Amino acid sequence: MDAAAAPARAARPTSPSRPPKAIRSTKPRGLDEDTAAPPAFPKCKSPSSSAAGGGAGAGAAASLLHHHADVPMDASVWAGLPDDLHLEVLARVPPFLLFRLRPVSRRWEAILHDPAFLAAHAAVPSHGPCLLTFSRGGGSHSPPHCSVLSVPLHARYKLPFGFLPPWDLWLVGSSGGLVCFSGFDGATFRTVVCNPLTQAWRVLPDMHCNQQRQLVLTVDKSRRSFKVIAASDVYGDKMLPTEVYDSKEDKWSVHQMMPAVNLCSSKMAFCDSRLYLETLSPLGLMMYRVDAGRWEHIPAKFPRSLLDGYLVAGARTRLFLVGRIGLYSTIQSMRIWELDHGRTVWVEISRMPPRYFRALLRLSAERFECFGQDNLICFTSWNQGKGLLYDVDKKAWSWIAGCASQLCNSQIEIKCFWGSNRAACEMSN
């Protein structure tokens, strides 16, 4: 900065509760493109490790921001902040750090449950991509274990889910900050949607055909509501219809059955109020319009020599297909296509560089997983214990540090993104 800007900075109004301080420019924190992040995440931080005293609010805030602030925090400043400024400051804290603030003081506990705070927090831009990991509980009556891997902060944080019922649950997915689980309460199939930030949760009523099947969670910010879609499936010798749960009505509605196909894939993606499902026999693409309640066949031919394909939802109407091409390990490559809705064809938009492909999948038969959100695509390899992130807009590849400590445990899965769009819909127990 030039010297001419110094008088302008000095003339800026400051809070009357603290003396003026020198303003230092800071380097923006974000995703390092095409570079390897630090080799490992710090030890997982639990929400219970925060300060226990009611008057320790300033100390806890200083501890949270210790590694990311250039100017030391002054406890007297926090003590004198009015509630509206307190709310605005806390709204900018990443959601996975808010769990550590809950036990700090009663004042902070009240603010974190204030509807005005939740609305402000939902309106603040995300600090960057976060990955949600999942592992089953220690037994049939223990809650699931989830953690958040923050890519910009290179840190891992536990998410407390002890408030959920002690059922045998597994992670379905996340949307708009909400998290969906499904599982069994004894012999009864259950679906649970919760907001980890407020610890509010809801057990959905039984479906009309209440059988285990593929589910998709989607949040509608304009209606401040969410929907859960149960895709058509085969149970025994009968075809199960498509069902949609609406949080506003708190009930499931039965929709059209999917046209008969010999075999359906578990690869699904939801974008622009449409659910896309990959079919294996014949190999093709089906689309379900949620607003119209009907299935349609998309006559888009899949690329030749496609070994395994994943459907990935991008921003707005963008739909991607990710998969390996080739017959032998020496000629394989990972490619990304985008669906051209106008011409109904898959158009190749990117290829994984060979050095990344060889490091992610060393053998042709190795298993990998792929998911995405907001034009970010995540690749994970179980055997190699590595994670790779691709930014479609920037056309940048980057390794995700710390995946080895997660994926080397066969009980832990990196399932989806979380918190990129904060929850702003109503949730009640």
Side-chain angles (χ1 to χ4, degrees):
M1 287 188 185
D2 54 13
R9 292 198 303 268
R12 292 176 182 172
T14 57
S15 172
S17 60
R18 63 175 179 178
K21 289 186 178 181
I23 299 178
R24 301 180 184 178
S25 61
T26 58
K27 181 181 179 181
R29 299 186 305 273
L31 187 64
D32 294 332
E33 301 177 6
D34 204 21
T35 57
F41 283 96
K43 186 177 179 181
C44 187
K45 303 171 180 60
S46 173
S48 59
S49 63
S50 58
S63 175
L64 283 176
L65 302 175
H66 174 70
H67 298 290
H68 312 295
D70 292 334
V71 180
M73 303 300 293
D74 188 349
S76 62
V77 174
W78 282 95
L81 280 180
D83 287 342
D84 58 339
L85 291 183
H86 232 132
L87 184 148
E88 291 295 332
V89 172
L90 294 180
R92 285 156 175 79
V93 176
F96 47 81
L97 291 178
L98 291 173
F99 302 109
R100 306 178 65 195
L101 306 182
R102 192 180 302 277
V104 168
S105 67
R106 294 181 179 178
R107 182 187 184 192
W108 283 20
E109 172 75 12
I111 290 178
L112 295 181
H113 285 87
D114 189 344
F117 164 76
L118 298 178
H121 189 262
V124 173
S126 168
H127 86 290
C130 293
L131 303 175
L132 187 60
T133 70
F134 165 76
S135 63
R136 303 286 289 273
S140 59
H141 299 289
S142 60
H145 302 155
C146 293
S147 298
V148 169
L149 300 178
S150 172
V151 176
L153 300 183
H154 309 305
R156 179 165 56 97
Y157 300 88
K158 287 183 179 179
L159 291 184
F161 284 101
F163 57 89
L164 292 179
W167 299 335
D168 186 15
L169 299 173
W170 57 87
L171 179 64
V172 171
S174 173
S175 176
L178 301 183
V179 181
C180 181
F181 295 93
S182 65
F184 286 93
D185 174 17
T188 305
F189 182 71
R190 300 289 192 188
T191 305
V192 181
V193 178
C194 68
N195 185 341
L197 181 60
T198 63
Q199 297 189 353
W201 53 278
R202 178 186 296 185
V203 179
L204 275 55
D206 291 346
M207 291 180 281
H208 295 81
C209 298
N210 196 45
Q211 304 294 339
Q212 178 182 353
R213 63 173 103 175
Q214 301 177 70
L215 302 174
V216 174
L217 170 69
T218 175
V219 167
D220 188 342
K221 284 190 173 183
S222 61
R223 297 179 65 235
R224 297 179 60 84
S225 64
F226 67 89
K227 291 182 179 180
V228 177
I229 305 171
S232 297
D233 207 342
V234 177
Y235 181 76
D237 57 350
K238 65 178 181 179
M239 190 73 176
L240 302 180
T242 305
E243 300 191 37
V244 178
Y245 172 83
D246 192 320
S247 63
K248 288 290 187 181
E249 301 177 1
D250 192 26
K251 66 178 183 180
W252 292 89
S253 57
V254 180
H255 291 222
Q256 178 191 25
M257 286 189 180
M258 186 172 64
V261 292
N262 295 333
L263 185 61
C264 295
S265 168
S266 60
K267 314 295 178 56
M268 299 192 303
F270 184 87
C271 60
D272 192 34
S273 299
R274 293 171 174 85
L275 176 66
Y276 294 90
L277 174 64
E278 180 182 332
T279 60
L280 298 180
S281 180
L283 183 62
L285 186 64
M286 297 294 297
M287 179 186 69
Y288 179 71
R289 294 182 180 270
V290 178
D291 51 353
R294 70 173 185 269
W295 285 94
E296 298 178 8
H297 173 67
I298 306 297
K301 293 184 179 181
F302 278 58
R304 290 184 177 183
S305 304
L306 180 65
L307 299 179
D308 40 20
Y310 284 85
L311 296 176
V312 177
R316 295 179 292 278
T317 62
R318 304 185 73 177
L319 179 68
F320 305 111
L321 173 65
V322 180
R324 288 182 288 189
I325 288 289
L327 300 178
Y328 306 101
S329 59
T330 55
I331 60 174
Q332 282 186 8
S333 63
M334 188 80 71
R335 306 186 188 184
I336 303 175
W337 298 265
E338 182 175 357
L339 180 63
D340 186 327
H341 296 274
R343 297 185 297 157
T344 320
V345 295
W346 292 105
V347 179
E348 183 177 332
I349 61 172
S350 182
R351 296 188 183 187
M352 183 181 294
R355 59 191 178 99
Y356 287 111
F357 181 77
R358 290 192 297 266
L360 185 71
L361 300 172
R362 295 184 180 179
L363 302 176
S364 60
E366 283 191 19
R367 176 185 175 185
F368 78 98
E369 298 286 343
C370 183
F371 56 88
Q373 179 177 293
D374 293 338
N375 296 341
L376 291 175
I377 301 177
C378 179
F379 301 81
T380 59
S381 169
W382 281 33
N383 292 350
Q384 302 302 325
K386 293 183 178 181
L388 184 64
L389 199 65
Y390 178 65
D391 191 316
V392 177
D393 296 329
K394 298 180 180 179
K395 301 185 181 302
W397 299 86
S398 59
W399 290 111
I400 304 172
C403 283
S405 61
Q406 300 289 302
L407 297 176
C408 287
N409 187 337
S410 61
Q411 302 299 319
I412 298 179
E413 301 179 59
I414 297 182
K415 296 286 291 185
C416 57
F417 287 94
W418 177 75
S420 296
N421 299 309
R422 280 83 179 284
C425 58
E426 299 176 357
M427 173 73 63
S428 59
N429 295 6

